[in-house]
Amino acid sequence: MLMSAENSARSVRQADGLGPVRALQRVLYRSAKQDRKRRFHALYDKLARSDVMWRAWVDVATNKGAPGVDGVSVESVADGGVESVRAFLDELAGQLRAGTYRPQPLRRVHIPKPGKPGQSRPLGIPALGDRVIMTAAKIVLEPIFEADFLPVSFGFRPKRSAQQALEAVRVAANGGRLWVLDADIKACFDEIDHNALVAQVERRVVDRRMLKLLRCWLRAGVFEGGVVSATEAGTPQGSLCSAAHNPPYEQYRVMRSVGLSGLVRTGSAAVRYA
């Protein structure tokens, strides 16, 4: 399975002129698209690939962000130059290969809610190393779940945005749609059932080490006021884990609760964004 994926990615690189990471993503996407029931093995080992780790670092460094509980910042690693970054990534990759990697608790901060004076929402900030590995996992997993999404879904998807969702609403309204159903999942991030989320991932992923890694992130806990609290449910907003793995779970809940798939089949203009 691993050699097949690597050989396929090599062929795609040569045919489409892509870099190795994009070629890998394209192979995973095409495989998932061609077989809706396919479940993927041998994904975990790809996280430690030097090209995947470097791409993950670039994405994290570009996004910047505050340090986690260990205080390590993007700048403190990048200031040492390429050698410093390589050493940082090599250490993370070594922990993944050896099975010794353990995520640190998220550092909880509270930020004001836009347009709601006096109210705030909690954010969970992962440690820098955790953010890099989460991003590597997103690079590998995202193409698989992209293949399952309906075109009416815009949230947490590559090359999709809130502006595109609004444009879809505008086009539908100008096309004569008169009624609007506005539905939202209350406290979605706060109440996500860990077992249900992992069960949705398991519909496509059977790599035990990858699934174990996802569970570790979900149960890493939250650090606030000098105390680490366990997280029995939910994925703290701000965590890359929530953005990477919430979509398949949320689409499932939305489709079951408001009949999104039924709306699409009947020709209604459904637009989903979260």
Side-chain angles (χ1 to χ4, degrees), residues 7 73 90 157 183 224 228 258 261 274:
N7 290 337
S73 65
D90 287 346
R157 297 184 64 189
E224 183 177 22
V228 176
V258 302
S261 58

Side-chain angles (χ1 to χ4, degrees), residues 51-202:
D51 52 356
V52 172
M53 292 292 284
W54 185 262
R55 163 74 180 277
W57 164 261
V58 170
D59 288 351
V60 169
T62 300
N63 194 50
K64 297 183 179 180
V69 294
D70 59 2
V72 178
S73 65
V74 170
E75 292 77 13
S76 65
V77 175
D79 285 348
V82 175
E83 290 185 2
S84 173
V85 174
R86 288 292 186 191
F88 179 73
L89 298 180
D90 287 346
E91 181 179 354
L92 294 177
Q95 292 175 11
L96 287 171
R97 293 191 185 100
T100 58
Y101 166 73
R102 297 293 183 274
Q104 299 184 64
L106 299 167
R107 181 170 68 88
R108 173 163 287 170
V109 298
H110 295 265
I111 64 172
K113 279 189 175 182
K116 295 184 178 180
Q119 297 186 35
S120 64
R121 63 187 180 99
L123 290 182
I125 303 177
L128 180 60
D130 295 332
R131 284 159 58 195
V132 171
I133 297 177
M134 286 178 183
T135 304
K138 182 174 181 287
I139 288 170
V140 173
L141 291 173
E142 189 171 63
I144 297 171
F145 291 101
E146 264 295 301
D148 293 334
F149 276 110
L150 296 170
V152 300
S153 295
F154 291 88
F156 296 122
R157 297 184 64 189
K159 299 181 181 179
R160 297 268 179 146
S161 66
Q163 288 75 19
Q164 290 174 323
L166 290 172
E167 176 63 12
V169 172
R170 186 191 69 80
V171 170
N174 290 342
R177 277 11 188 256
L178 301 178
W179 293 90
V180 176
L181 168 64
D182 184 8
D184 185 27
I185 298 177
K186 183 179 180 181
C188 179
F189 284 99
D190 299 332
E191 298 179 1
I192 286 177
D193 183 293
H194 291 173
N195 292 329
L197 188 154
V198 174
Q200 289 305 305
V201 176
E202 285 176 335

